[in-house]
Every structure is written in C-alpha cells, then in structure tokens.
Amino acid sequence: MGCVILLSGGLDSTVCLAISPADACLFVDYGQPALHQERAAAAKSAERYGVPLHETQIPMALGDMAAPAGDAGPRIVPGRNLAMISAAVSLAATIGADAVVIGASKEDRLSYPDCRPEFTFSLSLACFEAYGVAVEAPLERMTRSEIVNLAHQHNISTKHVWSCYTPIDGKPCGTCDSCKQESP
C-alpha cells in the first residue's frame, strides 16, 4: 500500500516524496511566516511527482517561529509535528494508505524533540494500533550531506524546494537553522 507524505515544500519532505510510494501529500498551514513560499514549493513538488496535494489549516501558537527574520537558531513550535502528523494520519486512514512519511533527519533531532526516533517510534505504535497507519521517517538516520546527495540523485534542486523559516522580502533569510542546513 501507499503513504501520505507530510510535504512542507522543503528539501527533506521533497526527498521523501521522491523515494516513497505516495498516494497523497498533505501541506499544513499553521500560520508560519513562510506560508506562501512553502505552499508554492509543495504544490510544485506534488505536481512534479504526480501526487495529489491536500491542504489543511491548524492554528498554532508559533513559539520560536515568531522570532524576527534573520535571527539564528531553531524555530521550535511546540506540538507542531504531533498536530501535523495527526492530520496526515486522518487523511491516510480515510484514503486507505498505510503510512505517513515525515522528513525528520539526523540533525533535526538535536533541536527538535518531535523529530527524534523515539518520538516517531512511539507515535507510530499508537497510530498503527488505533488506525492501522504507521508513521515513518526514512531520513531520520541520514546526515544533511547524505540527504543532499540523495536529492541530487533524484534531480531535486533549490528551484524545487523552499527551506527558510523566516523569509525577508520573499527571499531566504540565510541565517535560520533551515537556511544553514540547505545546499542542494
């Protein structure tokens, strides 16, 4: 069976789309500063791979995501991945997909508690028990350079993704953690 890709429009989730048997993608509008850029990149990636793109809105307290553009550091939004995965599990169960795929990477676990293997494993057990939908993070043991290499293998370039949390005048800020990690 297939899966639902939680597609932010960034490099990691786009690589997940390239390597996974997707039935659908889900983009989440949670009020993020880069909403328009992320949505456009997600739509472009879903179209490129011929996978339907669904969208949902989940209002959240933005926490560190509300930091001014240009500020360095992680952008932690408490419960963000939990809420987004929950919405993706709902979609997966509705369309008959047996997994939700997220783009958590090895580096993400250092700053983001909901990108750690323990979180994914525990959540997967609960979601599978309740809904028959597993939660998978195929990149969670990969380094940034390994993911970039995988992106190159699948012809994913910077024109296919958006990986800045806090754009300045519609352009990547160059200082947030996501900008510092991306270089396909």
Side-chain angles (χ1 to χ4, degrees), residues 96-182:
D98 61 2
V100 166
V101 174
I102 64 170
S105 71
K106 190 172 187 174
E107 279 91 353
D108 289 339
R109 74 177 76 167
L110 300 174
S111 298
Y112 303 98
D114 54 3
C115 289
R116 295 180 182 145
E118 301 83 5
F119 175 85
T120 306
F121 177 77
S122 298
L123 191 56
S124 184
L125 286 176
C127 292
F128 190 80
E129 176 65 29
Y131 308 107
V133 177
V135 179
E136 301 172 356
L139 310 179
E140 74 183 359
R141 298 198 190 312
M142 295 179 76
T143 64
R144 180 62 40 208
S145 62
E146 291 170 326
I147 295 168
V148 168
N149 287 337
L150 191 54
H152 285 304
Q153 291 172 22
H154 290 277
N155 297 315
I156 299 168
S157 72
T158 52
K159 65 183 172 188
H160 298 126
V161 300
W162 178 270
S163 294
C164 174
Y165 289 131
T166 53
I168 299 173
D169 296 327
K171 295 182 177 134
C173 71
T175 58
C176 70
D177 277 9
S178 190
C179 280
K180 288 180 179 181
Q181 289 182 4
E182 303 305 325

Side-chain angles (χ1 to χ4, degrees), residues 36-55:
H36 303 295
Q37 293 89 347
E38 289 180 7
R39 180 188 284 137
K44 185 181 288 185
S45 292
E47 181 179 344
R48 178 177 186 222
Y49 289 97
V51 179
L53 179 64
H54 299 259
E55 183 174 340

